Amino acid sequence: MHRVGSAGNTTNSVRPRKEKRLTYVLSDADDTKHCAGINCLKVLKSTVSNGCDYLFTGSRDGTLKRWAISEDSATCSATFESHVDWVNDAVLAGDSTLVSCSSDTALKTWNCLSDGTCTKTLRQHSDYVTCLAAAEKNSNIVASGGLGGEVFIWDVEAALTPVSKSGDAMEDDCLNGVNGSTNSLPMTSLRTISSSNSISVHTTQGYVPIGAKGHKESVYALAMNDSGTRLVSGGIEKVVRVWDPRTGSKAMKLRGHTDNIRALLLDSTGRYCLSGSSDSMIRLWDLGMQRCVHSYAVHTDSVWALASTPTFSHVYSGGRDFSLYLTDLATRESLLLCQKEHPILQLALHDDSIWVATTDSSVHRWPAEAHNPQKVFKRGGSFLAGNLSFSRARVSLEGSIPVPVYKEPTLTIPGTSAIVQHEILNNRRHVLTKDTAGSVKLWEITRGIVIEDYGKVSFEERKEQLFEMVSIPAWFTVDTRLGSLSVHLDTPQCFSAEMYSADLNIVEKPEDDKVNLARETLKGLLAHWLAKRRQRLGSQASANGDVLSGKDIAPRSLAHSRVDVDGGAENDSMVYPPFEFSTVSPPSVVTEGSQGGPWRKKITDLDGSEDEKDFPWWCLDCVLNNRLPPRENTKCSFYLHPCEGSAFQILTQGKLSAPRILRIHKVVNYVVEKMVLDKPLDNVNTDGTFAPGLGGHLLHSVVGDGSFRSGVKPWQKLKPSIEILCNNQVLSPDMSLATVRAYIWKKPEDLILNYRLAQGRLAWLVVIEIMCLCKILGNTLILRGVHHFHASFYGWTLPSCRASLLVEIERFVMGGELTRKLKPRSRVRVQSVSGGDSKGLPSDSVQMHGASLIGEEEKNGVLIDRGIREKEKTGGRADAWNASLKCGVEKKCVKDVISSHLDVLWDDGYGTKTVKDYFEEAKEMIRPDGGPPRWFCPVECGQPLKDSPVLLFCPGLDGVGSALALHHKALGKVFEVRCLHIPVRDRTPFEGLVTIVEKTVRLEHASSPNKPIYLLGDSFGGCLVLAIAARNPEIDLVVILANPGDPVKMASVNIDHRLPRRLQIEQLFQNLIALLPCLSDLADIVPKDTLIWKLKLLKSAASYTNSRIHAVKAEVLVLSSGNDYMLPSGDEAQRLKSSLKNCTVRYFKDNGHTILLEDGVNLLTIIKGTGKYRRSRMINFVTDFVPPSMSEFKYGYDELVGLLSFATGSAMFSTLDDGKIVKGLHGVPNEGPVLFVGNHMLIGLEACSLVLELLRERNIMVRGVAHPVVLREREWVSSPEFSFSDWMKVMGAVPVTASNLFKLLSTKSHVLLYPGGARESLHHRGEEYRLFWPDQQEFVRMAARFGATIVPFGTVGEDDIAELVLDYNDLMKIPVLNDYIRNATSSSIRIRDKSKGEVANQELYLPGLLPKLPGRFYFLFGKPIATRGRKEEIVEDRENAKQLYLHIKSEVEGCIAYLLKKREEDPYRNIVDRTVYHALHSPLHEVPAFDP
């Protein structure tokens, strides 16, 4: 069975919480149906003729139900609700007592003919109770076993007998009616009973059962004979233990099974025993002879359930293979009765029928002929069961597949679909769920109802549609282990979330009143209990809804709480609409008080008698006394400053403080209030805008709700428009401070907000430049010799004119004159800085990369010039200002929220542009304009991701700045790209260019000191960026140098290398023809006089840089070409590597001088592969990871591992949640975090195929954790090329460290882990498919901490690819070579120094392989193992973690064994057969494999 965490606080938890938890379980389904798998069945036959038979079912939803059975129907007549976790088993003790056990570690007794009353709770187990056994003829005896390895024998009659107690010394038996009579037993020592007449023991402390001691591991199955004289048990130890239940003494131990024992049966005499195991075998034991007399190989997977005919001549068996078999124990003849869609968990015979329970919530009745099973065999289709293994059983079938005798059940008791996936939305009131039927629903947890049923839609797409940019503290947690939503409230965290009543649409409260979500939810949840409590105490509810004073609550609550001043006392008892729970499908409360242990009950069944012994004290203190426990600070500290260059400001007194839920519109009101109250209204313009220089004294240092509750004042009618900004982003008025801090600020320091006049009020200032340049009303306005002041707008510095002119221009713009007069064909005057002739150009002809100034303005509104404009310090030089019009590339002002991540296989645009496009753009940009060097942002770059660093590109000798044309789209996704354009006639000396670039670098560093700045230099630009790095060693810089082409390489950029060679040559020829005219235009791009100047500039640049190169401390990446016939770039790369402290070189032997314009060089891929991409001072392998693009995936899949993929023909199989193995990867969970754990083949051959196949088939990005030596830089290689280890980084591989695994799982990543590590991948001869796992379960505990799903997998096939002829032991016998291996091992990073034995053996060597005719790789992903909700159970309890660790290891071994067996059935295992198949079918067809 699967281990799950308990819903409540048990008294046996390893590390109990300081305060008890309150949980409520929601359900919108019919209460008469189960909503999770059925773990147990029990039939109660009527003792009177024509009486009603009953079927009892126990479910993983935590409840039991009683069904009245007739010939053709089943009616739910009672629900037994008290367990707080899975019900694992149930037995009948006598005619009216039902005993159940649960994962909550308790046994409960019930009056099975009542309406569901629990009569006693028995607590003795330390872990989940998994199984029960009862003696039919001795109704008092019941045995229980659990995961703690304990087996207890109970005398039910004695256990139910009341025990005398005094005062408060004993715990309550009845819990005031909460869960019936309950007895929390003390953990005293167990006593053995020798009397054969009674097994009960009474002490002054109460009843203590007999303990059968001997199991060291978990117990999964029990069985007892009719008289109660013999008990058998089995579990993880793979042995059957036999006990005398009267004394608890061991009788014998039977060995034979090779895996866990999951089911046991004893005949009525106790002579024969049947056992079912996870090894797929059924064994018949003769306990008198103490040996196994028969083995039955019938099933293909684990046997989980057994039931025998009354004469013990035939056995019914079911299990993980979904099949129900009937086997004749004497003749070994077997028959497949039926096949289910889910694994079978339990069987129960009922006359001539059999009830079958599965992991589904429905129960089915099938024909069984239990009194005459030979009637079934007469139908034919039987086979002879094997006696050795499943393979022998299949041989006995002679290749035939059994056909089920029955197709449909005779009766079905339907259940409802269990919730299997959930997501808490950001508003912290709604939860999105998906059930087993694929239905997606939206729940409002403060009302416990479904508010939207979306039907069968994509869960992920719906989740994205419902995303809201809001930040509310996580005040509750949710799990779905019971098949429904369980909402957990823990104090004091649950009281951390507040909202304004207006946001909750509570009309009964003032809109600015704060509402505590947990308090109001508790009031709504316990409203029925409060009403019953008033009735019991005889008090009358007042007309205004006052609550009871609560003085009857224990005084201890007063010492641990404080009075919450929010909300009026007169409304304390009112339940507001957003917190009204349904009474049609009421939730159940799961909690515990000071006595008795956890309990569960529907809120409508609470009778008002429950008090602090039943409820947590903090819960009652909140509901009755309106008091909340001390909480963390709910205030948010922030600074409020004017924007840089703002024309006005208010005076503040430093740090401000306000509630976290305060909306930005209230901060706007605060700014406006201070502006107006601190200055006379005369300073307000007639249109409501504020004159510059407004200021005043800050009246309040705390911005609270009270600051904004005053009525409408005269100044408010003016409605001055103020914008609040954070990180240069305009904030929505509806945002809260918490939202701004979480999504915009994203820093631990105090929040910094800036204010300014709204864009609408400054828009006319932006139009000044256009008005002064465009022909309007027949006049060209040139501003000369006017006074100046500066208005700031998105970083622009705009000259202005006299106040009278400003007023006139504003009237002109606001009056709509501009809209009517400004035509698309208006002309723009452009004058050179040197005072040359001006000429008029049509405005739509002033373009940069196709972006027309007027054309774009008409379509998209305001255009932003990203260039840096030189401020005029003397006079109003219209010439320089007009010339600045062409500085930079105009960019649209987009309003979309900037994305924070890239999708997997995103389009990087690589290969869509060629060098021909570069020449065309260069010809357009090279035209002389007389302007200075300037920065521009290429339009193709688009909007970068959030927090992307800046990349400044310094061009080569051409000076155009477009040499990144092939890389714009890719780089623009992860960098804020700016390119330096040096006009063709510009003669700025090298020192001047250094000053221009340095100024930009320092400005960027000042605005974002914690982000690196990337400097990319192409040939001559390399000298420029190295000089900047040498002059600014204190700034975090990453320098990339590309040697400054080979026309053939340029023409090869967009050629598909998968085409036949003939077509590649033909396409290359056509590209060269198209390229020739462009090459002839190179002289136009760089005229002769300019080229002479640039060569002189290059000489001075080299001299300047070489004299300062020793001062460079920045990271440097050098891209060196092997066919550079213009400059000796290879030698230069080696010189730089030896001269610079932190220099990495990548050598491209087939590329030429213009490496950035040539094929095979994707600049972003190189940056990622060399580990140079980061967003902060230190690289974070998780948050700085950029997913592979489609072009990178194609190269990796086709070129990098294409040959290996073709040779190995990987066949992928996975296991669905119901245990069914299918072809493909449909069983792999799509939602993270997911941890793949499996075995390494020789030298890790399987890893590439695994990662790429998951990416190709499921679009899942798997992050592999690899040995650090695989990813480290190859310092010993003089000219390192872009290697396979670099590609591993591109595909997401990270060094295997605990911190990296922690970060990956915390971000819900899919992680690939090989516990065997280097020892497994570099194994010795004869060790194929052997696991070398350390004796540490840390990855299990890490996965449980984040609720990750663990997917064990196995892979085989290395022995079909190559033979290991020289292993480590052989190589160490060879002189010289052994010294090399020792040195390589000693110098490598040791990651298992503390381990001992084989797993500590981490010698690194390259084995000697003898290739074979390739076979095939096979992958099997096992059934996903969920750890969500099991954090405390696994993280805190190392023993539980160890058990899960061993289970995972066992699953991996099982996957390997399965594949080794099944690959023999693959007709295409050989590469020859696969090649023939490819030749006869379409390339899109996947080669088949064996049927799973």
Side-chain angles (χ1 to χ4, degrees):
M1 69 178 297
H2 300 290
R3 297 178 58 88
V4 296
S6 177
N9 268 85
T10 65
T11 56
N12 299 307
S13 58
V14 176
R15 184 178 295 176
R17 297 182 181 90
K18 294 182 179 179
E19 299 296 346
K20 303 297 192 298
R21 160 184 283 185
L22 185 137
T23 297
Y24 58 97
V25 183
L26 306 180
S27 175
D28 72 327
D30 188 352
D31 187 49
T32 61
K33 297 179 181 179
H34 285 298
C35 64
I38 310 299
N39 281 343
C40 57
L41 300 169
K42 195 57 61 178
V43 175
L44 177 62
K45 296 279 293 179
S46 175
T47 57
V48 298
S49 60
N50 298 325
C52 181
D53 293 347
Y54 291 109
L55 173 68
F56 295 90
T57 57
S59 172
R60 295 177 177 182
D61 62 12
T63 67
L64 297 101
K65 294 186 185 296
R66 184 183 68 215
W67 308 86
I69 306 299
S70 65
E71 186 65 28
D72 56 358
S73 66
T75 306
C76 181
S77 57
T79 297
F80 303 87
E81 185 174 13
S82 182
H83 283 296
V84 301
D85 214 322
W86 287 10
V87 176
N88 294 323
D89 204 357
V91 294
L92 287 166
D95 296 330
S96 61
T97 301
L98 179 70
V99 183
S100 62
C101 67
S102 167
S103 295
D104 60 12
T105 74
L107 280 73
K108 290 183 183 288
T109 62
W110 316 78
N111 184 344
C112 65
L113 300 179
S114 71
D115 59 353
T117 303
C118 176
T119 56
K120 180 73 81 171
T121 299
L122 306 173
R123 301 184 188 280
Q124 195 72 42
H125 285 271
S126 63
D127 209 332
Y128 298 177
V129 190
T130 57
C131 50
L132 297 173
E136 272 193 33
K137 296 181 180 178
N138 190 344
S139 59
N140 287 336
I141 301 177
V142 173
S144 62
L147 297 188
E150 305 127 331
V151 175
F152 293 113
I153 301 99
W154 304 79
D155 185 325
V156 177
E157 183 179 352
L160 294 177
T161 302
V163 181
S164 60
K165 58 182 181 288
S166 58
D168 297 331
M170 296 296 296
E171 297 178 352
D172 287 359
D173 279 344
C174 62
L175 271 178
N176 292 320
V178 170
N179 62 344
S181 179
T182 303
N183 180 23
S184 182
L185 294 172
M187 299 299 291
T188 57
S189 60
L190 303 176
R191 295 174 53 187
T192 301
I193 308 302
S194 58
S195 172
S196 61
N197 299 322
S198 174
I199 65 169
S200 62
V201 177
H202 286 277
T203 69
T204 58
Q205 296 293 318
Y207 171 77
V208 178
I210 290 178
K213 299 181 179 179
H215 278 286
K216 299 177 182 177
E217 302 288 349
S218 300
V219 178
Y220 284 151
L222 292 173
M224 194 181 296
N225 66 337
D226 289 355
S227 60
T229 58
R230 180 160 284 177
L231 174 70
V232 291
S233 62
I236 290 181
E237 296 170 333
K238 309 172 188 176
V239 299
V240 178
R241 296 182 183 271
V242 185
W243 313 83
D244 184 344
R246 296 164 294 185
T247 63
S249 60
K250 292 181 285 187
M252 66 189 78
K253 183 165 59 176
L254 306 174
R255 301 181 183 274
H257 283 293
T258 59
D259 208 335
N260 302 338
I261 295 173
R262 301 301 301 268
L264 290 169
L265 279 180
L266 273 177
D267 72 336
S268 59
T269 65
R271 170 72 183 271
Y272 293 102
C273 172
L274 277 170
S275 59
S277 168
S278 294
D279 62 10
S280 77
M281 298 293 294
I282 301 172
R283 294 183 179 272
L284 177 63
W285 307 84
D286 187 328
L287 302 188
M289 302 174 62
Q290 299 190 19
R291 69 182 185 89
C292 175
V293 293
H294 287 294
S295 297
Y296 307 91
V298 177
H299 289 268
T300 62
D301 210 330
S302 302
V303 181
W304 287 353
L306 296 173
S308 71
T309 57
T311 59
F312 212 73
S313 60
H314 295 74
V315 62
Y316 300 87
S317 58
R320 193 176 178 183
D321 59 1
F322 316 150
S323 301
L324 175 63
Y325 287 95
L326 171 62
T327 303
D328 189 325
L329 297 179
T331 65
R332 311 182 62 84
E333 192 176 6
S334 292
L335 191 66
L336 177 61
L337 291 182
C338 64
Q339 215 155 15
K340 304 285 292 177
E341 296 178 353
H342 303 88
I344 296 174
L345 297 177
Q346 189 66 276
L347 303 171
L349 282 169
H350 183 200
D351 295 333
D352 279 336
S353 300
I354 187 168
W355 291 98
V356 180
T358 68
T359 54
D360 185 38
S361 57
S362 300
V363 183
H364 303 278
R365 185 179 69 188
W366 297 83
E369 301 293 346
H371 294 95
N372 188 8
Q374 290 303 323
K375 289 174 60 177
V376 185
F377 284 101
K378 292 179 181 179
R379 292 173 174 263
S382 63
F383 61 91
L384 192 64
N387 60 0
L388 293 178
S389 65
F390 168 64
S391 61
R392 293 296 180 91
R394 301 304 289 178
V395 170
S396 69
L397 291 176
E398 298 180 352
S400 62
I401 300 176
V403 178
V405 176
Y406 304 109
K407 301 297 183 182
E408 298 293 335
T410 58
L411 180 63
T412 295
I413 303 176
T416 60
S417 300
I419 298 175
V420 293
Q421 190 175 3
H422 71 276
E423 184 74 24
I424 301 174
L425 302 187
N426 286 8
N427 60 21
R428 300 294 174 182
R429 292 174 59 217
H430 296 156
V431 176
L432 191 67
T433 64
K434 181 180 180 180
D435 59 30
T436 52
S439 181
V440 177
K441 298 178 181 179
L442 184 64
W443 295 73
E444 186 169 358
I445 60 99
T446 56
R447 291 196 292 160
I449 62 172
V450 174
I451 59 175
E452 194 73 44
D453 187 344
Y454 301 107
K456 295 182 179 181
V457 299
S458 170
F459 182 85
E460 295 298 328
E461 290 179 3
R462 186 62 60 178
K463 182 175 70 174
E464 292 179 5
Q465 293 171 7
L466 294 173
F467 174 79
E468 298 177 68
M469 188 181 287
V470 295
S471 178
I472 296 176
W475 61 281
F476 66 92
T477 56
V478 169
D479 70 55
T480 57
R481 61 178 175 269
L482 300 181
S484 53
L485 278 182
S486 296
V487 183
H488 307 296
L489 302 180
D490 294 290
T491 188
Q493 299 95 319
C494 66
F495 296 108
S496 61
E498 295 176 330
M499 294 180 67
Y500 286 118
S501 58
D503 298 327
L504 294 168
N505 296 320
I506 301 178
V507 297
E508 297 88 348
K509 294 172 69 72
E511 63 177 16
D512 284 343
D513 272 10
K514 290 184 290 185
V515 176
N516 189 286
L517 298 183
R519 176 167 56 188
E520 299 304 320
T521 300
L522 287 172
K523 285 164 54 180
L525 197 65
L526 300 180
H528 178 84
W529 172 78
L530 279 172
K532 291 290 186 180
R533 180 181 176 85
R534 293 192 194 101
Q535 295 176 9
R536 290 180 65 90
L537 297 180
S539 61
Q540 298 297 323
S542 60
N544 61 0
D546 285 343
V547 229
L548 297 172
S549 64
K551 294 181 179 178
D552 54 326
I553 300 302
R556 68 177 284 238
S557 63
L558 301 176
H560 295 279
S561 63
R562 64 175 177 84
V563 177
D564 194 317
V565 298
D566 277 348
E570 69 277 2
N571 290 324
D572 282 345
S573 66
M574 181 180 294
V575 177
Y576 299 105
F579 304 95
E580 292 177 346
F581 283 84
S582 170
T583 56
V584 178
S585 297
S588 300
V589 173
V590 178
T591 189
E592 65 176 305
S594 59
Q595 299 180 17
W599 54 272
R600 169 176 171 172
K601 204 167 189 179
K602 289 197 176 296
I603 59 173
T604 51
D605 292 339
L606 299 174
D607 59 10
S609 63
E610 299 83 7
D611 54 19
E612 67 272 11
K613 296 191 297 296
D614 312 313
F615 281 112
W617 69 267
W618 58 266
C619 177
L620 297 181
D621 207 23
C622 169
V623 175
L624 295 178
N625 302 328
N626 197 32
R627 286 193 291 261
L628 303 183
R631 294 166 289 163
E632 63 179 12
N633 183 23
T634 60
K635 299 287 186 179
C636 177
S637 299
F638 64 98
Y639 294 92
L640 189 59
H641 299 315
C643 287
E644 184 179 356
S646 178
F648 72 95
Q649 63 179 9
I650 60 175
L651 296 180
T652 62
Q653 296 177 349
K655 186 187 298 185
L656 304 175
S657 178
R660 292 182 303 193
I661 62 175
L662 189 78
R663 302 293 184 185
I664 292 300
H665 73 80
K666 295 198 174 186
V667 180
V668 171
N669 292 346
Y670 177 82
V671 175
V672 172
E673 181 179 356
K674 304 314 295 176
M675 289 170 57
V676 174
L677 295 182
D678 292 345
K679 265 302 189 189
L681 293 180
D682 294 338
N683 285 329
V684 182
N685 296 333
T686 57
D687 65 344
T689 58
F690 285 80
L694 282 177
H697 299 286
L698 184 65
L699 298 181
H700 305 282
S701 60
V702 177
V703 183
D705 298 342
S707 302
F708 309 111
R709 289 185 180 178
S710 56
V712 178
K713 296 182 175 65
W715 57 266
Q716 290 179 317
K717 299 178 182 179
L718 299 172
K719 298 181 180 178
S721 299
I722 298 297
E723 288 180 335
I724 304 297
L725 295 86
C726 179
N727 277 349
N728 295 324
Q729 183 172 334
V730 179
L731 304 179
S732 168
D734 293 331
M735 278 188 175
S736 66
L737 292 178
T739 302
V740 174
R741 186 178 187 89
Y743 292 98
I744 309 299
W745 182 243
K746 297 189 291 188
K747 299 176 185 178
E749 297 85 6
D750 287 330
L751 186 63
I752 298 178
L753 301 180
N754 303 101
Y755 57 87
R756 71 179 184 197
L757 284 178
Q759 294 182 28
R761 297 302 181 184
L762 283 177
W764 58 273
L765 292 177
V766 179
V767 186
I768 293 176
E769 184 176 23
I770 301 175
M771 291 183 61
C772 294
L773 295 173
C774 298
K775 189 172 183 180
I776 302 176
L777 298 176
N779 296 312
T780 301
L781 304 178
I782 302 295
L783 305 183
R784 296 178 181 274
V786 296
H787 298 292
H788 287 264
F789 72 94
H790 298 93
S792 175
F793 179 75
Y794 276 104
W796 292 33
T797 302
L798 305 174
S800 185
C801 51
R802 304 178 192 271
S804 59
L805 180 58
L806 287 176
V807 174
E808 182 61 27
I809 292 176
E810 181 185 9
R811 181 195 62 76
F812 182 82
V813 175
M814 298 303 181
E817 300 287 338
L818 179 64
T819 306
R820 295 192 296 270
K821 298 295 184 180
L822 190 56
K823 303 297 183 183
R825 296 294 298 179
S826 59
R827 299 176 67 82
V828 178
R829 180 177 298 277
V830 180
Q831 292 183 322
S832 66
V833 175
S834 60
D837 295 336
S838 62
K839 60 181 180 179
L841 295 175
S843 61
D844 54 0
S845 70
V846 181
Q847 298 183 359
M848 193 66 72
H849 297 269
S852 169
L853 174 63
I854 301 300
E856 288 294 321
E857 178 178 308
E858 288 179 336
K859 291 182 291 184
N860 302 299
V862 179
L863 296 176
I864 301 177
D865 184 349
R866 298 294 295 274
I868 297 178
R869 302 180 181 274
E870 295 291 332
K871 296 182 181 179
E872 295 291 334
K873 297 184 179 180
T874 58
R877 294 194 56 185
D879 295 345
W881 187 25
N882 292 337
S884 72
L885 178 63
K886 285 190 64 177
C887 291
V889 175
E890 293 79 6
K891 233 183 154 186
K892 290 183 289 185
C893 179
V894 295
K895 298 181 180 179
D896 298 326
V897 177
I898 302 174
S899 175
S900 59
H901 69 281
L902 281 173
D903 293 331
V904 178
L905 304 185
W906 54 283
D907 180 16
D908 63 359
Y910 186 73
T912 59
K913 298 195 72 173
T914 67
V915 71
K916 180 180 178 181
D917 300 308
Y918 159 72
F919 278 112
E920 291 177 352
E921 293 177 5
K923 286 168 61 179
E924 184 70 27
M925 295 179 64
I926 205 65
R927 296 174 183 174
D929 61 7
R934 71 210 67 163
W935 297 100
F936 68 91
C937 293
V939 174
E940 296 94 333
C941 290
Q943 181 70 57
L945 299 177
K946 283 186 179 180
D947 298 324
S948 294
V950 172
L951 185 145
L952 303 178
F953 173 62
C954 297
L957 293 176
D958 62 322
V960 175
S962 292
L964 293 179
L966 277 63
H967 310 275
H968 281 161
K969 187 172 182 179
L971 294 176
K973 289 291 186 181
V974 296
F975 291 104
E976 187 176 341
V977 180
R978 299 180 189 172
C979 303
L980 182 64
H981 173 64
I982 305 175
V984 68
R985 298 298 182 187
D986 181 74
R987 295 297 183 263
T988 304
F990 182 75
E991 290 82 355
L993 295 175
V994 169
T995 302
I996 292 173
V997 178
E998 186 177 53
K999 179 180 179 182
T1000 304
V1001 168
R1002 291 181 176 178
L1003 285 173
E1004 289 296 334
H1005 176 68
S1007 63
S1008 300
N1010 294 321
K1011 285 201 294 188
I1013 300 173
Y1014 284 74
L1015 299 178
L1016 173 56
D1018 183 12
S1019 66
F1020 162 73
C1023 297
L1024 189 55
V1025 298
L1026 280 176
I1028 301 301
R1031 288 164 58 97
N1032 298 273
E1034 74 284 355
I1035 298 179
D1036 184 12
L1037 300 175
V1038 179
V1039 175
I1040 304 173
L1041 306 175
N1043 60 261
D1046 189 343
V1048 176
K1049 276 289 177 183
M1050 293 181 182
S1052 302
V1053 169
N1054 63 346
I1055 294 179
D1056 190 346
H1057 296 281
R1058 293 174 294 181
L1059 293 174
R1061 191 65 180 171
R1062 178 181 59 81
L1063 295 180
Q1064 290 187 37
I1065 295 173
E1066 181 179 336
Q1067 188 172 341
L1068 176 63
F1069 179 71
Q1070 294 173 354
N1071 289 0
L1072 281 171
I1073 293 175
L1075 193 59
L1076 289 176
C1078 299
L1079 295 175
S1080 65
D1081 289 336
L1082 187 61
D1084 295 335
I1085 296 176
V1086 185
K1088 183 177 180 180
D1089 59 333
T1090 299
L1091 185 58
I1092 294 174
W1093 163 256
K1094 293 290 180 73
L1095 292 175
K1096 293 180 179 178
L1097 196 64
L1098 179 61
K1099 182 178 180 180
S1100 64
S1103 175
Y1104 183 96
T1105 303
N1106 286 330
S1107 64
R1108 293 167 174 79
I1109 198 171
H1110 63 278
V1112 176
K1113 296 182 180 180
E1115 288 184 76
V1116 180
L1117 172 62
V1118 180
L1119 311 183
S1120 173
S1121 296
N1123 292 330
D1124 187 355
Y1125 301 114
M1126 187 177 296
L1127 293 174
S1129 56
D1131 297 337
E1132 179 67 9
Q1134 295 304 316
R1135 185 184 72 85
L1136 289 173
K1137 186 175 181 179
S1138 60
S1139 303
L1140 298 173
K1141 301 176 182 177
N1142 188 6
C1143 181
T1144 302
V1145 175
R1146 285 298 177 268
Y1147 184 70
F1148 300 88
K1149 61 181 180 180
D1150 297 325
N1151 290 93
H1153 180 70
T1154 54
I1155 190 171
L1156 298 178
L1157 293 171
E1158 298 177 12
D1159 182 36
V1161 182
N1162 187 328
L1163 182 57
L1164 180 58
T1165 303
I1166 299 169
I1167 295 173
K1168 290 158 54 179
T1170 52
K1172 299 300 182 184
Y1173 184 75
R1174 52 189 173 89
R1175 296 185 178 95
S1176 57
R1177 288 190 175 273
M1178 299 294 294
I1179 188 171
N1180 186 316
F1181 290 105
V1182 178
T1183 58
D1184 291 335
F1185 173 65
V1186 179
S1189 65
M1190 181 57 76
S1191 67
E1192 291 170 336
F1193 169 74
K1194 287 180 177 178
Y1195 181 85
Y1197 196 82
D1198 296 335
E1199 304 290 337
L1200 200 63
V1201 296
L1203 181 60
L1204 179 64
S1205 298
F1206 176 78
T1208 58
S1210 300
M1212 298 285 176
F1213 300 87
S1214 60
T1215 308
L1216 304 180
D1217 289 337
D1218 57 9
K1220 182 178 181 181
I1221 298 176
V1222 296
K1223 183 75 164 66
L1225 300 172
H1226 304 292
V1228 176
N1230 191 52
E1231 182 181 3
V1234 175
L1235 183 62
F1236 297 99
V1237 181
N1239 68 300
H1240 249 320
M1241 288 201 297
L1242 193 61
I1243 62 175
L1245 288 171
E1246 79 293 335
C1248 295
S1249 299
L1250 187 149
V1251 172
L1252 291 175
E1253 284 298 325
L1254 280 166
L1255 197 55
R1256 181 185 67 86
E1257 184 174 335
R1258 293 295 307 278
N1259 202 37
I1260 292 175
M1261 183 67 245
V1262 178
R1263 306 292 306 276
V1265 286
H1267 196 292
V1269 74
V1270 180
L1271 302 177
R1272 72 177 180 179
E1273 185 65 24
R1274 296 157 297 159
E1275 301 292 345
W1276 63 91
V1277 181
S1278 60
S1279 300
E1281 300 181 31
F1282 198 76
S1283 65
F1284 185 77
S1285 64
D1286 294 332
W1287 272 105
M1288 289 179 64
K1289 298 174 191 173
V1290 173
M1291 298 306 294
V1294 301
V1296 56
T1297 65
S1299 61
N1300 284 340
L1301 185 59
F1302 180 95
K1303 294 173 184 176
L1304 288 170
L1305 292 177
S1306 66
T1307 54
K1308 296 187 177 182
S1309 301
H1310 288 67
V1311 187
L1312 176 61
L1313 176 68
Y1314 292 100
R1319 178 61 183 89
E1320 206 167 84
S1321 65
L1322 300 176
H1323 60 71
H1324 302 168
R1325 235 185 354 259
E1327 294 178 344
E1328 297 84 359
Y1329 312 125
R1330 178 182 168 188
L1331 300 185
F1332 293 92
W1333 288 18
D1335 200 14
Q1336 299 171 343
Q1337 62 273 15
E1338 295 308 312
F1339 75 83
V1340 174
R1341 300 172 69 233
M1342 186 86 74
R1345 176 170 184 172
F1346 295 102
T1349 301
I1350 301 175
V1351 180
F1353 72 90
T1355 175
V1356 302
E1358 67 170 82
D1359 50 345
D1360 279 352
I1361 301 297
E1363 180 182 355
L1364 179 60
V1365 294
L1366 290 176
D1367 63 7
Y1368 174 77
N1369 296 325
D1370 299 324
L1371 296 175
M1372 291 302 291
K1373 297 176 183 177
I1374 303 175
V1376 181
L1377 191 58
N1378 53 11
D1379 292 334
Y1380 177 80
I1381 295 175
R1382 290 192 190 97
N1383 293 335
T1385 302
S1386 61
S1387 62
S1388 66
I1389 301 174
R1390 309 287 289 182
I1391 60 176
R1392 285 183 178 169
D1393 282 344
K1394 297 182 180 179
S1395 299
K1396 298 180 180 179
E1398 287 286 353
V1399 295
N1401 189 7
Q1402 294 284 315
E1403 292 84 1
L1404 304 179
Y1405 72 100
L1406 191 63
L1409 302 177
L1410 182 63
K1412 295 181 178 179
L1413 186 66
R1416 197 171 192 180
F1417 283 173
Y1418 299 90
F1419 296 81
L1420 172 59
F1421 294 86
K1423 184 176 180 180
I1425 302 172
T1427 65
R1428 182 173 296 180
R1430 303 172 61 183
K1431 180 178 178 180
E1432 293 189 3
E1433 167 200 345
I1434 298 175
V1435 176
E1436 307 296 342
D1437 191 333
R1438 290 185 176 272
E1439 185 61 30
N1440 290 340
K1442 181 179 180 181
Q1443 294 301 323
L1444 181 56
Y1445 175 84
L1446 294 176
H1447 173 65
I1448 295 168
K1449 185 177 181 181
S1450 175
E1451 288 290 309
V1452 174
E1453 292 172 333
C1455 291
I1456 296 173
Y1458 176 86
L1459 292 174
L1460 290 174
K1461 181 192 303 181
K1462 294 292 288 183
R1463 71 174 177 175
E1464 303 295 333
E1465 305 173 12
D1466 186 4
Y1468 299 101
R1469 181 177 174 183
N1470 190 282
I1471 190 174
V1472 177
D1473 298 322
R1474 293 197 301 275
T1475 304
V1476 172
Y1477 183 90
H1478 279 303
L1480 298 177
H1481 296 79
S1482 167
L1484 299 178
H1485 284 198
E1486 292 190 7
V1487 180
F1490 59 80
D1491 291 329

